[in-house]
Amino acid sequence: MRRLLPLALSAALPLAAQSTLVSVIRQPRATAVEFTVPITELQVKDRGDFAHLHLGVGLGVRHWDDGDNALRFVADANATANELFLGLGAIVEVPQGEGAFLGPRLRIGWAFHPRWALSLEGEHLERPFSSGLAPRRRSNVGLVATFRF
């Protein structure tokens, strides 16, 4: 038992180094904010070069310019290496009074600092279980500012 206690305490140390990602997204007809907490993170720094990998899950809100809102559930993987930022994600979006949309997203951009990046985003969401008369697809592009706290 004495050997397991130090091992359990040292396993919790990496959690202190993990950080939350906050993304502010502006799309042509909507604005969104997402908060992602890490499942795991990895950071490497070698002679001024850095690489950071963030795997996380989170929540978000999208507000359309016409006044509608939607709740977003996010699972994403973001990688930053020197000045390159790359993000892949899966989105489940639930608009008020409608069925859920789900689909992938891709972000590519520039990391101006190890803690923030500016990127372009493309996402394609579909409603898989809807009647034939309701809108079934939402594809958007946008500009994203991502901050790591």
Side-chain angles (χ1 to χ4, degrees):
M1 187 62 160
R2 282 187 230 161
R3 291 182 186 175
L4 292 178
L5 187 58
L7 182 61
L9 291 174
S10 65
L13 287 176
L15 292 176
Q18 294 182 356
S19 54
T20 302
L21 279 182
V22 177
S23 297
V24 179
I25 306 153
R26 181 61 190 158
Q27 296 171 339
R29 295 176 303 198
T31 302
V33 176
E34 295 176 354
F35 301 94
T36 307
V37 294
I39 294 173
T40 187
E41 275 190 347
L42 176 66
Q43 184 164 336
V44 178
K45 188 171 184 178
D46 182 36
R47 297 186 207 124
D49 295 337
F50 70 91
H52 185 265
L53 175 67
H54 171 95
L55 301 173
V57 295
L59 291 173
V61 175
R62 183 178 354 199
H63 175 76
W64 279 277
D65 294 342
D66 65 2
D68 291 337
N69 295 312
L71 182 64
R72 295 167 64 95
F73 300 95
V74 180
D76 68 351
N78 296 307
T80 306
N82 295 332
E83 290 122 17
L84 179 65
F85 176 83
L86 178 64
L88 297 170
I91 307 291
V92 176
E93 184 173 273
V94 184
Q96 293 175 335
E98 295 183 39
F101 287 86
L102 55 106
R105 88 160 161 221
L106 174 66
R107 292 180 178 170
I108 299 173
W110 301 269
F112 295 103
H113 185 274
R115 295 202 166 267
W116 66 278
L118 188 64
S119 60
L120 296 173
E121 171 187 82
E123 70 180 20
H124 178 74
L125 305 177
E126 290 197 15
R127 187 179 315 173
F129 308 109
S130 67
S131 67
L133 299 176
R136 296 187 54 126
R137 292 185 179 94
R138 289 186 178 160
S139 296
N140 288 303
V141 295
L143 186 61
V144 183
T146 302
F147 306 95
R148 186 165 48 102
F149 294 98

